[in-house]
């Protein structure tokens, strides 16, 4: 009975961690440009703020993950520390001038990126200590939270000041600290207790993992370019901002069933094959976007979120836990989390420069090229065994 109660407590705690983190993620990445622009910061500077912050975050993620693996730091204490930084950053925003406020926003981007791999790994931590968990359901709660609060914040912005955006981050960070202290901590896995301070480079140690990282980086670059410049793509075919809202809502809602049922899917198809399958549908999705004639065609492309991002995101996390040794898990998950931030950097650099120098049509060609190249790397995993 006690074991059942502990399992329920741990799973609910993991679901809450994902739900709260994705509120913070939403306020930073979906409403960040809107927030900074309302502070009077021009779009050119906003691009620099987000791009440079994401670069710092992508560098810090594997470095911190490596130290956690080597020194056996508590991932829970680290998350508490990172959330305290978020709280300080948000409180500072209410006191500082606009330029310094943007600096605090930059801190939030960096911290949220560092936080992401540890949130991702939390269900697997308990799985490794004998508690049955479900990453797909936990990730599904993240998507559900993102979808709900995207509408809630959007609605509230019609009546409240723009500072309501970081306020949601503040509340989420406080609640996340409470959840972390509510969850049990079992220490580091016993299989890694004898680990020394020396650690091999995991990119050379696990060739299959490195190939997955490259494929994921290309797909996340596609994902970020499409999401960041969706308004430009839709306006190019006669749509407007309302079509963007419908498109984003459609994608976030449709990925939920796959996330919640992911473990059942994984029981029938391996994580590696799911990544290969999703990479094929990424090509199909990019081609639909390329040949789109009206907003409805974009909606059709968003339906494929079910078999692209909704599959590849959890599958890559699961495959990493399968092919990477326990002693390297935190660093590996940090590298995997960095693919999102690196994709964001490339998206701002590639997308911004293409639209500045050329037009949307060239951007659409780049989207197709990214998915084709990413699929080549994904399919090349067939030449590796899972223990490579």
């Amino acid at each position: 009975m006690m074991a059942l109660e502990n399992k329920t407590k741990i799973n609910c705690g993991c679901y809450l961690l994902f739900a709260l983190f994705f509120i913070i993620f939403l306020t930073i990445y979906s409403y960040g440009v809107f927030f900074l622009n309302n502070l009077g910061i021009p779009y050119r500077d906003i691009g620099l703020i987000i791009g440079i912050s994401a670069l710092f975050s992508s560098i810090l993620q594997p470095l911190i993950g490596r130290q956690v693996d080597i020194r056996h730091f508590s991932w829970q204490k680290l998350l508490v520390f990172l959330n305290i930084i978020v709280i300080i950053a948000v409180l500072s925003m209410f006191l500082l001038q606009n330029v310094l406020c943007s600096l605090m926003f930059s801190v939030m981007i960096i911290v949220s990126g560092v936080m992401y791999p540890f949130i991702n790994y939390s269900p697997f931590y308990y799985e490794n200590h004998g508690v049955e968990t479900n990453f797909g359901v936990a990730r599904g709660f993240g998507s559900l939270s993102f979808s709900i609060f995207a509408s809630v914040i959007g609605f509230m912005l019609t009546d409240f000041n723009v500072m309501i955006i970081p306020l949601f981050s503040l509340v989420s960070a406080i609640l996340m600290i409470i959840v972390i202290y509510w969850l049990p901590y079992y220490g580091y896995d016993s299989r890694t207790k004898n680990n020394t301070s020396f650690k091999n480079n995991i990119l050379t140690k696990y060739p299959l993992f490195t190939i997955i990282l490259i494929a994921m980086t290309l797909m996340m670059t596609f994902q970020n370019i499409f999401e960041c410049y969706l308004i430009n793509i839709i306006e190019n075919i006669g749509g407007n901002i309302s079509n963007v809202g419908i498109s984003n809502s459609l994608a976030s809602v449709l990925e939920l069933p796959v996330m919640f049922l992911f473990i059942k899917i994984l029981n029938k198809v391996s994580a590696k094959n799911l990544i290969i399958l999703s990479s094929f549908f990424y090509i199909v999705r990019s081609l639909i976007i390329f040949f789109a004639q009206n907003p409805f065609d974009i909606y059709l492309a968003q339906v494929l979120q079910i078999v692209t991002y909704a599959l590849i995101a959890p599958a890559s996390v699961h495959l990493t836990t399968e092919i990477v040794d326990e002693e390297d898990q935190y660093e590996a998950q940090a590298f995997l989390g960095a693919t999102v931030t690196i994709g964001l950097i490339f998206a701002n650099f590639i997308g911004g420069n293409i639209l500045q120098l050329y037009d949307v049509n060239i951007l659409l060609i780049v989207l197709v090229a990214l998915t084709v190249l990413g699929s080549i790397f994904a399919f090349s995993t067939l030449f590796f065994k899972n223990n490579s």
Side-chain angles (χ1 to χ4, degrees):
M1 185 67 179
M2 184 64 70
L4 181 61
E5 289 177 359
N6 205 39
K7 174 186 170 183
T8 303
K9 173 183 177 179
I10 286 170
N11 276 281
C12 288
C14 289
Y15 302 160
L16 286 170
L17 282 183
F18 273 81
L20 293 167
F21 171 77
F22 272 89
I23 295 173
I24 296 175
F25 187 88
L26 168 72
T27 59
I28 293 172
Y29 291 100
S30 290
Y31 284 102
V33 173
F34 178 81
F35 173 72
L36 292 172
N37 189 244
N38 272 266
L39 295 180
I41 299 170
Y43 285 112
R44 180 190 62 229
D45 294 341
I46 292 172
L48 284 173
I49 289 169
I50 295 175
I52 293 173
S53 302
L55 176 61
F56 273 107
S57 182
S58 64
I59 294 171
L60 283 175
Q61 281 171 298
L63 289 178
I64 292 176
R66 185 177 181 86
Q67 290 305 307
V68 170
D69 280 327
I70 291 173
R71 302 182 185 279
H72 297 172
F73 291 140
S74 164
W75 64 273
Q76 289 174 314
K77 288 181 180 178
L78 181 61
L79 279 179
V80 168
F81 175 71
L82 294 172
N83 276 288
I84 289 172
I85 295 177
V86 171
I87 292 168
I88 294 171
V90 173
L91 291 176
S92 300
M93 287 181 180
F94 289 93
L95 303 173
L96 299 173
Q97 297 295 321
N98 288 357
V99 175
L100 293 176
C101 190
S102 66
L103 179 62
M104 290 298 101
F105 188 82
S106 178
V107 169
M108 289 179 65
I109 294 174
I110 296 169
V111 169
S112 67
V114 174
M115 205 184 293
Y116 182 55
F118 297 99
I119 297 292
N120 255 357
Y121 189 64
S122 58
F124 297 102
Y125 169 79
Y126 291 107
E127 190 90 35
N128 290 336
H129 285 86
V131 181
E132 186 181 346
T133 58
N134 190 320
F135 173 80
V137 174
R139 183 60 181 77
F141 270 95
S143 296
L144 180 62
S145 172
F146 186 96
S147 179
I148 292 171
F149 283 93
S151 300
V152 170
I153 295 174
F155 178 77
M156 293 184 71
L157 282 171
T158 60
D159 298 315
F160 293 92
N161 184 277
V162 72
M163 293 305 291
I164 195 72
I165 295 173
L167 188 60
F168 272 88
S169 290
L170 175 65
V171 174
S172 296
I174 293 171
L175 291 175
M176 202 184 298
I177 290 174
I178 294 171
V179 172
I180 291 167
Y181 276 112
W182 182 59
L183 283 167
Y185 180 67
Y186 298 128
Y188 221 80
D189 193 290
S190 59
R191 289 170 292 178
T192 64
K193 290 295 184 183
N194 296 322
N195 214 19
T196 65
S197 60
F198 175 76
K199 198 164 176 290
N200 291 324
N201 186 327
I202 69 170
L203 298 180
T204 55
K205 186 177 179 181
Y206 308 100
L208 174 57
F209 175 67
T210 303
I211 295 296
I212 293 297
L213 281 182
I214 297 171
M216 284 295 295
T217 299
L218 291 164
M219 294 309 183
M220 290 306 100
T221 302
F222 162 87
Q223 196 81 31
N224 279 293
I225 290 177
F226 178 63
E227 291 173 0
C228 289
Y229 300 100
L230 181 57
I231 180 62
N232 304 86
I233 294 170
I234 283 184
E235 284 180 344
N236 190 52
I237 51 178
N240 54 42
I241 191 64
S242 65
N243 299 121
V244 174
I246 294 170
S247 176
N248 284 329
S249 296
L250 185 64
S252 60
V253 169
L254 286 175
E255 72 181 35
L256 289 175
V258 177
M259 295 289 188
F260 282 117
L261 297 172
F262 186 77
I263 292 298
K264 292 185 177 180
I265 296 171
L266 195 60
N267 288 334
K268 297 182 180 298
V269 185
S270 71
K272 184 200 289 186
N273 287 339
L274 286 174
I275 292 173
I276 293 170
L277 179 66
S278 66
S279 71
F280 168 76
F281 281 108
Y282 261 115
I283 295 176
V284 176
R285 188 177 180 185
S286 68
L287 288 173
I288 293 174
I289 295 166
F290 180 80
F291 289 109
Q293 298 296 312
N294 53 63
F296 181 81
D297 292 336
I298 299 298
Y299 300 159
L300 180 61
Q302 291 292 61
V303 170
L304 292 182
Q305 181 89 341
I306 299 171
V307 285
T308 52
Y309 183 75
L311 277 184
I312 205 169
S316 59
V317 175
H318 272 276
L319 184 59
T320 300
T321 63
E322 291 174 14
I323 64 178
V324 175
D325 295 338
E326 183 66 26
E327 65 186 29
D328 298 313
Q329 275 296 328
Y330 289 110
E331 185 181 3
Q333 292 296 339
F335 267 113
L336 190 62
T339 61
V340 177
T341 46
I342 293 171
L344 184 65
I345 296 166
F346 287 158
N348 279 276
F349 177 77
I350 296 172
N353 279 282
I354 287 175
L355 291 180
Q356 183 74 35
L357 300 173
Y358 303 102
D359 57 23
V360 175
N361 294 319
I362 301 298
L363 188 67
L364 297 177
I365 293 173
V366 170
L367 289 179
V368 175
L370 285 168
T371 58
V372 170
L373 191 57
S375 294
I376 291 172
F377 280 98
F379 274 87
S380 71
T381 62
L382 290 171
F383 298 102
F384 293 84
K385 293 181 180 179
N386 272 12
N387 58 359
S388 295

